[in-house]
Amino acid sequence: MSNAPRLTALDALHRSLGATMTDFAGWDMPLRYASERDEHNAVRTKAGLFDLSHMGEITVTGPKAADLLDHALVGNIGSVGVGRARYTMICREDGGIVDDLIVYRLGESEYMVVANAGNAQIVLDALTERSQGFDAEVRDDRDAYALIAVQGPESPGILKSLTDADLDGLKYYAGLPGTVAGVPALIARTGYTGEDGFELFVEPQHAEKLWQALTEAGAPVGLIPCGLSCRDTLRLEAGMPLYGHELTTALTPFDAGLGRVVKFEKTSNDGRFVGREALQAAAERAETNPPRKLVGLIAEGRRVPRAGMPVVAGGEVIGEVTSGAPSPTLGKPIAIAYVDAAHATPGSEGVGVDIRGTHEPYEVVALPFYKRQK
């Protein structure tokens, strides 16, 4: 087994653009091309182009594909219409979050599950194991796709210039097959930036052609290539969770404030699914004895909070930072943190972050920090 990071189909192109590369979840990925701030601001005001080919695609097909996914995941996947997508999670029997996922229904009995890069093998193994007894096939399609995202307010216009697919009729969390710049693609209106945008699943051999076409079409309106660093600050401002930070196997969806993704009312498999009992207990606990809550923190000073730093109030530790960074949009450092319910109300007084022994004052706010104007 080689320990060298995997390369996406766009690896040579990233290097030709002068990208700073980094090992991310076993892949060599662009961290930034030039200025992280410029890349971030381009997505907020114009458009950014991302290589997301490290994400893990798993195809589930067969007469009982929906029943398998209803059993294996916490969401009601059988109720997803063809051409639509759903945000959901896969949990352990004890309710701990294995990964958060997007599931696309591509056909009557065909689904594509998109897992985070670092968890793709774990999710694949879990789905394969959980498929026993179901008339359905789980297929590893990670090598079958490259994934390119165009995100930002100018992205619909850029994409419209390259496709005759009905983008106006494509809702958020939906996908349709089409051709973009002559390349066959699954065009999905999803994203991880808080902006309108599209994710384009294509065969790896077509990735470079599509990237170049998008680059040319977007140049007049300010589109630039963007790396993982600004993707993180964009999702942080939008209050979107990152696996390994806001979501872990030690937390249930109810602990993470995402209990809404768990659908106890689904009727397939007599309502049974992996983790159901533990999740019902977690739901009841959350009502009677609220767990720590996920909140936003905005710095009053300039010091940047980082994951793992204690959140304090009155000399006591009341929580922990899960993600933190300077916010280009707000012009201040921000953080997402789990804090005790007593201090989770926006405007709570006396809350700080212990940054190397100094208690820096922070304002508690509701998430997200940033919401785009529709």
Side-chain angles (χ1 to χ4, degrees), residues 356-372:
R356 293 180 206 75
T358 307
H359 292 187
E360 300 284 339
Y362 274 74
E363 180 190 356
V364 178
V365 298
L367 293 170
F369 299 96
Y370 167 85
K371 208 166 194 173
R372 73 182 170 97

Side-chain angles (χ1 to χ4, degrees), residues 72-159:
L73 312 179
V74 301
N76 189 349
I77 307 303
S79 69
V80 178
V82 174
R84 298 308 302 266
R86 179 130 329 145
Y87 176 76
T88 187
M89 294 182 184
I90 181 168
C91 289
R92 302 194 308 194
E93 200 67 74
D94 67 3
I97 302 166
V98 174
D99 201 12
D100 61 336
L101 311 164
I102 296 179
V103 179
Y104 296 90
R105 187 170 190 176
L106 303 181
E108 201 50 49
S109 57
E110 183 180 4
Y111 295 82
M112 180 167 69
V113 177
V114 182
N116 285 298
N119 292 331
Q121 187 65 48
I122 297 164
V123 173
L124 176 69
D125 292 345
L127 286 175
T128 304
E129 186 184 321
R130 294 175 189 188
S131 69
Q132 303 306 314
F134 290 91
D135 187 3
E137 183 199 346
V138 176
R139 189 172 73 233
D140 180 0
D141 268 348
R142 282 176 287 180
D143 293 335
Y145 292 102
L147 178 56
I148 294 173
V150 54
Q151 295 279 310
E154 297 286 355
S155 56
I158 293 167
L159 204 54

Side-chain angles (χ1 to χ4, degrees), residues 33 69 73 98 100 116 123 166 189 202 217 221 259 282 344 346:
Y33 296 85
L69 290 170
L73 312 179
V98 174
D100 61 336
N116 285 298
V123 173
D166 177 19
R189 197 167 208 153
V202 299
V221 292

Side-chain angles (χ1 to χ4, degrees), residues 103 194 213 261 268:
V103 179
V261 306
S268 55

